[in-house]
Amino acid sequence: MRLATWNVNSLRARLERVVPWLAGVAPDVVCLQETKLAGDDFPHRAFEALGYDCVHHGEGRWNGVAICSRLGLEDTAAGFADGAGEDPDARIVWATCAGVRVASVYVPNGRAVGHDHYRYKLAWFGRLRAHLEAVCDPAGDVVVAGDFNVAPEDRDVWAIEAFAESTHVTQPEREAWQAVCGWGLVDTFRRRYPGVDGLYTFWDYQAGRFHKRQGMRIDHVLATEPLAARAGGIVVDRNARKGTKPSDHAPLVVDFAR
DNA sequence: ATGGTAGGTGGCCTA
């Protein structure tokens, strides 16, 4: 199974980049974030033409997550099953694809340390962990893929000095991310490339960050141990960040042996 | 020169 995650920063604005990318890379399952579409506005036809069935959880202006699969799409669900009420934002959607339980997640950005949205971000990680405990099995095949808005280590940003007082790198965010991993999920990229620095998945549009190679590794494919053990090739598709009207994120692609 | 880009929406907010 070739699985990819990509924060497209508006699927409406990005469809003309996403369609040829799907045809070229040919992932079996794609987790999308920041569709910025209402539920009914998802371009199902464009994906069906490429052989993908999709589940979309969207609200309109912001957020919005989807899973597209050409290996089937069963038991779809939106939001959390932690018994703590509905998340006001459309940030997580679930589906089972060829026996693998898949989540596409868009973790809150946080905006600023100490901001209400920062507390919401930390709480959101807690809800994700609670959901996993409630309805998932770490001994099964589970993958949680998406934009986590956390750089797990200092070496996952281009220069830690540039992130003083910033979100994405604070200890509480990293601990919240580690608590999710601690349920039984492996950071597949870091396991495969334990010594690699300077490979990122996001580059700010401003200040020519991409061309200066000044990015952050904040998009992750987390997999339970049995699934992570079957991870083969792992690639950040930097080509998708180049050219006309790119997203500010590049896709992360992971091949899992069956 | 203390900025800058992009996407949404609607006359600013989010990233």
Side-chain angles (χ1 to χ4, degrees):
Chain A
M1 173 190 283
R2 171 165 290 179
L3 181 142
T5 182
W6 193 6
N7 179 326
V8 294
N9 184 19
S10 170
L11 187 53
R12 206 191 308 274
R14 213 66 59 214
L15 194 59
E16 61 195 45
R17 292 293 305 256
V18 171
V19 165
W21 181 84
L22 285 171
V25 175
D28 297 306
V29 177
V30 187
C31 298
L32 301 175
Q33 299 86 37
E34 283 207 84
T35 63
K36 297 186 177 178
L37 296 173
D40 294 339
D41 291 338
F42 191 90
H44 283 283
R45 264 180 244 275
F47 285 85
E48 282 166 9
L50 294 163
Y52 294 92
D53 294 322
C54 304
V55 58
H56 176 231
H57 178 40
E59 61 190 69
R61 302 166 188 84
W62 295 304
N63 312 315
V65 285
I67 301 171
C68 305
S69 169
R70 58 180 195 180
L71 299 178
L73 199 65
E74 298 168 0
D75 299 321
T76 61
F80 292 119
D82 61 349
E86 200 167 318
D87 184 351
D89 294 356
R91 295 185 177 276
I92 183 165
V93 67
W94 298 84
T96 300
C97 308
V100 178
R101 192 64 175 156
V102 178
S104 176
V105 304
Y106 176 48
V107 176
N109 171 284
R111 293 182 196 166
V113 178
H115 193 285
D116 280 347
H117 202 258
Y118 179 80
R119 285 183 283 277
Y120 169 57
K121 178 179 193 174
L122 298 179
W124 202 94
F125 272 114
R127 295 196 66 178
L128 177 55
R129 162 94 193 203
H131 178 106
L132 291 165
E133 288 173 1
V135 298
C136 295
D137 178 3
D141 289 345
V142 181
V143 56
V144 181
D147 177 1
F148 287 79
N149 272 315
V150 169
E153 300 176 82
D154 288 355
R155 60 178 170 149
D156 292 316
V157 298
W158 60 276
I160 193 62
E161 318 84 71
F163 291 84
E165 317 292 320
S166 296
T167 59
H168 297 63
V169 299
T170 68
Q171 201 57 32
E173 289 166 279
R174 286 174 171 173
E175 286 174 2
W177 182 81
Q178 284 160 7
V180 169
C181 295
W183 171 78
L185 293 168
V186 174
D187 176 355
T188 56
F189 175 96
R190 187 49 75 201
R191 174 174 283 187
R192 179 143 201 86
Y193 301 114
V196 169
D197 299 338
L199 262 178
Y200 309 119
T201 63
F202 164 85
W203 302 260
D204 199 305
Y205 286 123
Q206 299 184 74
R209 293 270 183 247
F210 179 70
H211 303 285
K212 297 178 193 167
R213 299 183 174 267
Q214 297 175 341
M216 309 170 72
R217 191 175 75 88
I218 57 175
D219 300 88
H220 308 294
V221 173
L222 308 183
T224 49
E225 183 59 48
L227 189 56
R230 307 203 299 277
I234 302 183
V235 165
V236 177
D237 187 1
R238 297 181 76 261
N239 287 329
R241 182 62 178 79
K242 303 174 182 175
T244 306
K245 287 187 58 120
S247 171
D248 43 2
H249 295 251
L252 175 62
V253 186
V254 180
D255 285 336
F256 294 104
R258 296 266 201 161

